Amino acid sequence: MGLVTGLVDEREQRRLAKLHEYSLLDAPAGEELEAVVRVAATVTDVPTATLNLIDENRQHQLTTVGFDGVDSARAESMCAIQFESGKLTYVPDASLDPRYRANPWVAGVHGDVRFYASAPLITPDGYALGTLCVFHNEPHELTAEQLARLTDLAQVTVALFERRRQARINADLAAIAEARQRWTDTLLETIDVAVIACDRDGRLSLFNRVAREWQGVDADPDADPHDFPARYELFEADGVTRLSAERVPLLLALQEGLVSNAEIVIRRPGGEPIQASVNGRALIAPDGTPLGAVVAMHDVTADRTQQRLIEQARRELAAANEELRRSNVDLTNFAGAVSHDLVAPLGAVGGCLELLEDAVDGQARDWVGAASRAVTRMRDLISSLLGYAQAGSAPIRSVTADLGEVFGSVLTDLQAEIRSADAEVSAPFPLPAVCCDPVLARQLLQNLIANAIKYRHPNRPPRVEVTAEREDSGWAVTVADNGRGIPPEQRDRIFDMFTRLEGTATAGHGIGLASCLRIVDRHGGTIRVEENPGGGSRVIFTFPDRPPDRSSEAGYVA
């Protein structure tokens, strides 16, 4: 019993859902439904008729003939008794029928109905919505023909319900389609991409805002596709060769189905040409019917201009690197020539002047001494220039080298200067193995230590310490001295070529620290000068664990 009740309740819920789906309750009946009810009264030859809809709680009289319709409780409805049977109900005298004689509409509470007939309103899927009802306060009989016509009118009524429902659905779909179209139109008009579409014959059907701005016109559906290149000023990527009709991306997408990253130039009326990257697809209906094609064009003018500038800069850089390479080769050759053609003769001149100095006296001896000192200065300058040239152009070969051994070699080379200045040069802690070119690292340390001895404080013997500290990417090496120190305002330029400290009479050519900068730079490191807390200066340079790849740079050999 419970199962049956559940099934009944479920079917009633589906019936009510269908009734509400038609949206008829409490809505105007409309002229067509009113006409049906009038015809029903005429066909059955009675003065009163009604179109009843029955929901979960009430009987709603949608339209009536011969009386003013009112809503009543479903429990009091005559139509609610039999309407779900799906059969026409015909009662010539309801007062004699046990099903109806106690009903308020028969017993005098709401009316004195005697004749009663109703045709159920059955939907195509079998749900009863209500009835087309005719009645009279006098007994009355109908012929079989009249009963058949009443049934026909009930079917017409349901057909009108269906048409109204479908019209509402179509209106809703049209509203949704219109809203989607507005959204699509707004999207196409908002995006900064030119969108162009055509039909299956290649006739233009869409130019969005950007496309109109580029072309200065809207899509012309009458334009012959073969005239597109001339009409819309379409050119190949070189901007000179006009596109053939077969090369127009929109028509290519139509014929081949897909276009990817095609590049064309559009010469705008009264504007600068546009370099456009084009992607497109053919438009195919779900059933495979060709509909047309659409392309999206991105303005890549700025990107292509930037690419051309980058390529030009690369070519100029390559030319500059080639010129630098030649200059470095020339510098290397010059260094060799200087070494052979200048240093050797200067050595001979120096030797002769030493011999001459012993053979003369008086003012002549002073002149010879001055000349000998000038030759020495010239030899020192040439030696410094050679060191600078080698620091920048000699092949660099980075290996893992023991910095302690390099430091020891430097002490051996500078032994005479150290003794002469009563200097103390030390590495208080073991120096690590670092990634470097040992020859250039030796030149670097030698220049820095020699500078510290040369520019010592006049009131104290020089003390130089070399230490190393581990950093994230390599080693930081410090050469600290107790000399004169370097004023802060001069620290930024002491690594420039031929720069000498202001306010010092110590001989020098201003090349040593410039050579140090070149060596450190070629190792991919940095070099700076700080004040030494104990007086003097601290020169700190870094050697990364992995030196930069110099194989593509002019003048460098990895």
Side-chain angles (χ1 to χ4, degrees), residues 68-213:
D68 293 331
V70 294
D71 285 0
S72 61
R74 177 173 177 173
E76 298 177 345
S77 169
M78 293 179 69
C79 291
I81 295 174
Q82 289 287 108
F83 83 108
E84 288 190 272
S85 69
K87 299 177 181 180
L88 183 141
T89 300
Y90 166 49
V91 181
D93 188 347
S95 65
L96 302 177
D97 192 309
R99 295 173 298 175
Y100 297 106
R101 61 189 176 193
N103 186 275
W105 290 94
V106 177
V109 178
H110 298 312
D112 298 310
V113 173
R114 292 296 177 264
F115 164 73
Y116 169 76
S118 65
L121 305 174
I122 307 298
T123 66
D125 44 1
Y127 293 103
L129 306 180
T131 65
L132 175 60
C133 173
V134 292
F135 60 95
H136 194 12
N137 58 4
E138 297 176 359
H140 183 67
E141 293 187 359
L142 297 178
T143 66
E145 181 70 17
Q146 288 174 308
L147 293 173
R149 297 295 77 76
L150 184 61
T151 300
D152 291 342
L153 288 173
Q155 293 175 351
V156 169
T157 300
V158 173
L160 292 174
F161 287 174
E162 279 291 325
R163 191 177 73 176
R164 181 182 291 189
R165 183 180 73 91
Q166 193 60 51
R168 189 182 70 254
I169 292 174
N170 290 342
D172 291 343
L173 291 176
I176 293 173
E178 183 179 356
R180 288 178 176 174
Q181 185 62 49
R182 286 197 303 270
W183 185 89
T184 301
D185 291 343
T186 301
L187 173 66
L188 290 174
E189 293 298 293
T190 302
I191 60 175
D192 293 325
V193 175
V195 179
I196 299 175
C198 68
D199 62 19
R200 60 189 299 174
D201 297 320
R203 303 286 177 172
L204 294 176
S205 57
L206 170 68
F207 268 22
N208 75 334
R209 172 187 59 85
V210 175
R212 294 194 301 273
E213 290 175 356

Side-chain angles (χ1 to χ4, degrees), residues 451-503:
N451 265 9
I453 295 172
K454 180 184 297 185
Y455 297 101
R456 57 187 178 271
H457 196 282
N459 298 328
R460 55 178 178 260
R463 297 291 181 265
V464 183
E465 284 190 354
V466 179
T467 58
E469 183 177 354
R470 181 67 185 172
E471 293 186 337
D472 291 341
S473 59
W475 289 92
V477 182
T478 300
V479 178
D481 64 57
N482 65 343
R484 296 190 182 97
I486 300 173
E489 64 273 11
Q490 297 187 44
R491 291 173 188 166
D492 291 338
R493 61 185 187 86
I494 61 169
F495 295 103
D496 294 342
M497 191 71 166
F498 302 117
T499 296
R500 297 176 59 188
L501 291 178
E502 297 176 4

Side-chain angles (χ1 to χ4, degrees), residues 34 36-42 44 46-52 61 63-69 117 131-136 150:
E34 291 173 356
V36 168
V37 176
R38 289 194 300 268
V39 171
T42 301
T44 56
V46 294
T48 49
T50 180
L51 191 60
N52 293 329
Q61 294 181 323
T63 183
T64 62
V65 169
F67 73 103
D68 293 331
T131 65
L132 175 60
C133 173
V134 292
F135 60 95
H136 194 12
L150 184 61

Side-chain angles (χ1 to χ4, degrees), residues 216-465:
V217 294
D218 204 346
D220 181 2
D222 297 324
D224 188 330
H226 290 88
D227 296 337
F228 286 174
R231 183 182 183 88
Y232 297 109
E233 294 291 329
L234 307 180
F235 292 81
E236 296 282 0
D238 60 12
V240 176
T241 308
R242 190 182 296 277
L243 279 178
S244 62
E246 295 76 13
R247 293 271 299 159
V248 173
L250 181 64
L251 302 181
L252 274 175
L254 182 64
Q255 296 298 322
E256 300 181 5
L258 179 66
V259 170
S260 298
N261 300 320
E263 289 208 7
I264 64 172
V265 171
I266 302 171
R267 292 190 177 176
R268 296 186 295 172
E272 293 295 322
I274 292 176
Q275 194 101 15
S277 177
V278 189
N279 294 280
R281 285 184 177 275
L283 300 175
I284 308 295
D287 62 359
T289 302
L291 300 177
V294 62
V295 293
M297 302 192 295
H298 299 261
D299 185 351
V300 294
T301 307
D303 293 341
R304 297 301 175 263
T305 299
Q306 185 178 25
Q307 286 178 1
R308 287 193 293 270
L309 292 175
I310 291 174
E311 289 301 322
Q312 180 181 352
R314 285 176 176 170
R315 290 193 296 270
E316 292 176 354
L317 179 61
N321 281 339
E322 179 59 24
E323 180 61 30
L324 180 60
R325 187 193 65 78
R326 288 195 297 268
S327 297
N328 282 337
V329 170
D330 292 343
L331 182 60
T332 302
N333 294 336
F334 171 74
V338 165
S339 176
H340 181 270
D341 297 337
L342 292 181
V343 174
L346 282 175
V349 171
C352 292
L353 288 174
E354 289 179 6
L355 295 175
L356 185 60
E357 188 174 8
D358 294 335
V360 297
D361 54 14
Q363 189 174 20
R365 187 182 182 89
D366 293 337
W367 290 345
V368 172
S372 180
R373 289 191 296 274
V375 168
T376 300
R377 288 196 300 274
M378 180 64 72
R379 290 168 62 183
D380 291 344
L381 175 59
I382 291 173
S383 177
S384 296
L385 285 173
L386 286 172
Y388 182 79
Q390 292 168 354
S393 60
I396 179 171
R397 295 179 176 84
S398 292
V399 297
T400 300
D402 187 336
L403 197 60
E405 293 182 1
V406 174
F407 174 69
S409 299
V410 170
L411 292 184
T412 299
D413 292 343
L414 295 177
Q415 187 176 6
E417 289 87 342
I418 292 172
R419 283 201 304 267
S420 175
D422 192 22
E424 181 181 323
V425 181
S426 64
F429 306 102
L431 295 176
V434 299
C435 182
C436 67
D437 183 316
V439 175
L440 294 179
R442 178 174 177 175
Q443 183 180 349
L444 172 62
L445 274 180
Q446 186 164 324
N447 279 347
L448 294 177
I449 295 172
N451 265 9
I453 295 172
K454 180 184 297 185
Y455 297 101
R456 57 187 178 271
H457 196 282
N459 298 328
R460 55 178 178 260
R463 297 291 181 265
V464 183
E465 284 190 354

